């Protein structure tokens, strides 16, 4: 009876260690049913294949990632699974081996060291601080070859470790070689984590540099457009002065026919020109976040060039962002790209952009509306990867938006589709 209870405790503690290590790495919160499934697998697989039980965790954890909507990020998901299982196995093996060597397989001591792999993994992550959130959010923009290489190496380590278990069981022991192999593998895992951290930092730096170059180019385009608008306004001002002079002469001579002619031929046309949406670009002067101004100006100019009627409303100054700048401009770019692509197909395209800043309640809103061709759009599917319905109003872009917003508790996103008008609203509260 005592042996059964001890075995139960060992299985429970080992399962807890694996779950925590996986959650530390992937930031995925497993459900109670998923945790129970791992516990059942621990006992069933152990009695069926013995020490090879660790290999059965890999497909199970992969399935859990699929349930948590990460199946498209194959190489990253496999890294989460293979690293968690391998580190759990190596650290647990090393610690129990040391206890067995020093304390002669003391049962209580073995139970006490079983949660220690959690602390070891936490220490590794604390030292190297790999930004897995960046890798997860930018998965589709980075080359996967470095992840593939790391995954292959860790998988080989895992297979070799399991093989050493089976060899030890068959031969009765491999002596000090077991400790050397385990320690060597742990060191290799740590080196790989260090390399992964350097690679992620490099990718992050490259993306920031690329965004800066794009931002500079966009600001140059914005500056040129503003200069063109300024020159147009100067020309209109010159025409307006001449019109006023003509009005003065006609009024002095009481020539109302001439006044009417001037109004119909020039002043009415001038008023129409001043109502053109291209002058909304001046509203960007209230956007004081340079990266956001760059994206807005670029997309605004792109829409004008494609003969799309576009309106921009910025009533209060936007001086700061309540989420990370990179995340905000990525979401803004996705929304605007979708709206422009949809509008290109229409006879009377129209896009409205509104940025609302409420200083009293410390909340910002981003609202983007665009006309569609009136077809049916399933709002329950648009945030799923691959959805398109002959349009880019959904699919990979919006699935990325949801992935970006997963880490924020201060953001609400809503989507509306009524009478052929597609609306995206992003409300961001200050924290």
């Amino acid at each position: 009876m005592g042996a059964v209870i001890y075995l139960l405790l060992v299985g429970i503690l080992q399962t807890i260690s694996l779950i925590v290590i996986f959650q530390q790495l992937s930031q995925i919160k497993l459900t109670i049913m998923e945790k129970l499934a791992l516990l059942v697998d621990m006992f069933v697989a152990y009695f069926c294949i013995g020490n090879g039980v660790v290999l059965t965790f890999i497909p199970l954890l992969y399935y859990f990632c699929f349930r948590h909507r990460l199946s498209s990020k194959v190489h990253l998901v496999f890294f989460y699974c293979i690293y968690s299982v391998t580190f759990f196995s190596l650290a647990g093996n090393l610690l129990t081996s040391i206890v067995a060597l020093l304390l002669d397989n003391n049962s209580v001591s073995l139970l006490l060291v079983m949660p220690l792999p959690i602390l070891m993994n936490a220490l590794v992550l604390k030292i190297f601080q790999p930004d897995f959130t960046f890798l997860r959010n930018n998965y589709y923009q980075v080359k996967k070859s470095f992840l593939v290489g790391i995954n292959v190496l860790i998988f080989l380590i895992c297979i070799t470790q399991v093989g050493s278990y089976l060899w030890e069981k068959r031969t009765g022991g491999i002596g000090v070689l077991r400790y050397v192999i385990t320690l060597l593998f742990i060191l290799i895992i740590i080196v790989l984590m260090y390399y992964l951290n350097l690679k992620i930092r490099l990718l992050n730096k490259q993306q920031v540099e690329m965004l800066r170059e794009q931002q500079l180019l966009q600001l140059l385009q914005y500056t040129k457009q503003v200069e063109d608008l300024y020159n147009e306004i100067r020309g209109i001002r010159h025409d307006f002065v001449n019109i006023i002079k003509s009005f003065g002469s006609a009024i002095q001579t009481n020539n109302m026919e001439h006044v009417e002619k001037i109004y119909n031929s020039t002043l009415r046309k001038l008023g129409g020109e001043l109502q053109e949406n291209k002058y909304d670009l001046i509203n960007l002067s209230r956007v004081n976040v340079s990266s956001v101004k760059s994206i807005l100006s670029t997309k605004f100019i792109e829409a004008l060039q494609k003969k799309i009627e576009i309106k921009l409303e910025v009533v209060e100054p936007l001086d700061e962002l309540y989420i990370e700048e990179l995340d905000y401009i990525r979401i803004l770019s996705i929304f605007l790209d979708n709206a422009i692509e949809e509008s290109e197909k229409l006879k009377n395209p129209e896009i409205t952009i509104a940025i609302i800043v409420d200083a009293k309640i410390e909340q910002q809103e981003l609202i983007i509306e665009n006309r569609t061709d009136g077809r049916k759009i399933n709002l329950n599917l648009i945030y799923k990867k691959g959805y398109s319905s002959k349009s880019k109003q959904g699919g990979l872009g919006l699935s990325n938006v949801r992935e970006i917003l997963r880490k924020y508790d201060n953001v609400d996103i809503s989507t509306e589709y009524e009478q052929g008008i597609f609306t995206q609203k992003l409300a961001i509260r200050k924290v």
Side-chain angles (χ1 to χ4, degrees):
M1 185 66 178
V4 173
I5 294 175
Y6 176 75
L7 187 61
L8 285 172
L9 287 174
V10 169
I12 291 171
L13 288 174
Q14 287 184 336
T15 305
I16 291 173
S17 294
L18 176 62
I19 290 170
V20 174
I21 289 172
F22 176 74
Q23 292 187 154
Q24 286 174 335
L25 187 71
S26 66
Q27 299 177 347
I28 295 174
K29 295 182 180 179
L30 298 179
T31 65
I32 293 176
M33 293 303 297
E34 290 168 344
K35 293 173 182 177
L36 288 175
L38 282 171
L39 182 60
V40 171
D41 178 69
M42 171 71 76
F43 288 110
V44 173
Y46 179 77
F47 284 113
C48 292
I49 58 176
N51 289 326
V53 63
V54 294
L55 294 178
T56 67
F57 293 138
I58 298 173
L60 197 55
L61 288 174
Y62 193 97
Y63 172 68
F64 295 158
C65 291
F66 178 82
R67 283 170 50 87
H68 289 267
R69 299 169 180 170
L70 283 175
S71 59
S72 61
K73 302 177 180 180
V74 178
H75 303 301
L76 182 60
V77 167
F78 190 72
F79 172 77
Y80 289 157
C81 301
I82 193 65
Y83 172 88
S84 301
V85 170
T86 305
F87 191 89
F88 155 76
S89 176
L90 289 172
N93 183 39
L94 179 65
L95 292 169
T96 53
S97 298
I98 292 174
V99 169
L101 181 67
L102 299 179
L103 301 176
D104 195 25
N105 283 321
N106 183 279
S107 299
V108 176
S109 300
L110 286 172
L111 289 175
L112 290 176
V113 301
M114 282 184 182
L116 290 182
I118 298 173
L119 299 178
M120 292 176 64
N121 183 64
L123 182 62
V124 171
L125 296 178
K126 181 70 175 177
I127 292 173
F128 298 114
Q129 297 182 337
D131 191 354
F132 289 112
T133 301
F134 169 83
L135 190 59
R136 186 167 167 172
N137 291 340
N138 297 274
Y139 180 81
Y140 301 107
Q141 283 76 46
V142 300
K143 293 182 179 180
K144 315 302 184 301
S145 55
F146 77 98
L147 263 181
V148 172
I150 290 175
N151 287 342
V152 169
L153 282 173
I154 297 178
F155 184 71
L156 290 175
I157 289 173
C158 185
I159 293 295
T160 306
Q161 180 73 1
V162 172
S164 71
Y165 289 151
L166 299 176
W167 178 261
E168 183 179 14
K169 186 176 181 180
R170 182 177 179 180
T171 61
I174 55 176
V176 73
L177 183 60
R178 175 183 179 183
Y179 307 106
V180 174
I181 291 175
T182 302
L183 185 58
L184 178 62
F185 283 167
I186 289 177
L187 290 175
I188 292 174
I189 293 287
I190 292 174
V191 170
L192 288 176
M193 185 63 76
Y194 175 70
Y195 166 75
L196 181 61
N197 178 48
L198 290 180
K199 191 69 176 179
I200 293 175
R201 288 178 183 272
L202 178 61
L203 291 170
N204 198 346
K205 183 179 178 181
Q206 289 174 344
Q207 187 168 38
V208 169
E209 291 297 325
M210 182 180 68
L211 287 173
R212 283 177 180 170
E213 291 176 4
Q214 291 177 351
Q215 182 179 331
L216 179 59
L217 179 61
Q218 290 160 357
L219 284 175
L220 290 174
Q221 292 175 338
Y222 168 66
T223 302
K224 184 180 183 305
Q225 190 73 11
V226 170
E227 287 176 354
D228 292 341
L229 290 176
Y230 175 72
N231 291 329
E232 283 187 29
I233 292 173
R234 284 187 63 187
I236 291 172
R237 177 188 174 189
H238 180 267
D239 293 341
F240 188 75
V241 170
N242 291 332
I243 291 169
I244 294 300
K245 289 180 180 178
S246 299
F247 264 127
S249 300
I251 291 171
Q252 285 178 359
T253 59
N254 200 25
N255 189 346
M256 298 308 297
E257 183 180 347
H258 188 48
V259 169
E260 184 178 354
K261 182 180 179 181
I262 294 172
Y263 174 78
N264 289 329
S265 63
T266 57
L267 198 57
R268 180 179 291 179
K269 179 183 176 183
L270 190 61
E273 289 179 358
L274 289 172
Q275 293 297 319
E276 290 183 10
N277 291 329
K278 63 183 178 181
Y279 294 105
D280 284 358
L281 193 64
I282 297 172
N283 289 332
L284 281 176
S285 62
R286 300 189 186 96
V287 178
N288 298 319
V289 181
S290 59
S291 58
V292 176
K293 179 181 288 188
S294 299
I295 294 293
L296 285 172
S297 63
T298 300
K299 300 303 179 184
F300 193 97
I301 295 168
E302 180 184 347
L304 289 177
Q305 292 172 343
K306 293 180 177 180
K307 309 300 181 184
I308 299 172
E309 183 177 351
I310 184 166
K311 301 176 183 177
L312 175 64
E313 300 175 12
V314 186
V315 179
E316 298 295 331
L318 180 70
D319 297 320
E320 60 176 328
L321 300 176
Y322 297 160
I323 61 174
E324 291 181 20
E325 187 173 336
L326 182 60
D327 291 338
Y328 189 96
I329 62 175
R330 286 183 65 206
I331 294 171
L332 178 62
S333 296
I334 290 170
F335 284 170
L336 291 175
D337 285 341
N338 288 351
I340 291 172
E341 183 167 334
E342 174 68 18
S343 299
E344 284 183 278
K345 303 180 296 184
L346 306 179
K347 290 183 179 180
N348 299 304
E350 183 177 333
I351 298 174
T352 301
I353 308 166
I355 295 178
I356 303 170
V357 179
D358 192 328
K360 291 182 180 179
I361 61 173
E362 294 187 316
Q363 179 172 296
Q364 300 169 348
E365 286 188 29
L366 171 65
I367 304 173
I368 297 178
E369 293 182 351
N370 65 274
R371 288 180 181 172
T372 70
D373 57 9
R375 74 190 178 285
K376 184 178 180 181
I377 296 178
N378 191 332
L379 298 183
N380 295 321
L381 297 178
I382 59 173
Y383 285 93
K384 291 186 177 180
K385 181 180 180 293
Y387 177 81
S388 63
S389 182
K390 298 181 182 180
S391 165
K392 205 177 178 184
Q393 288 291 178
L396 182 58
L398 293 184
S399 68
N400 282 348
V401 169
R402 183 172 60 183
E403 193 67 39
I404 293 169
L405 295 180
R406 190 187 293 269
K407 62 182 177 180
Y408 295 106
D409 297 324
N410 62 320
V411 181
D412 295 318
I413 185 171
S414 62
T415 305
E416 299 175 4
Y417 184 54
E418 294 182 2
Q419 299 179 346
I421 303 296
F422 187 85
T423 306
Q424 295 276 20
K425 295 182 180 179
L426 198 68
I428 310 171
R429 299 174 300 279
K430 189 172 185 178
V431 292

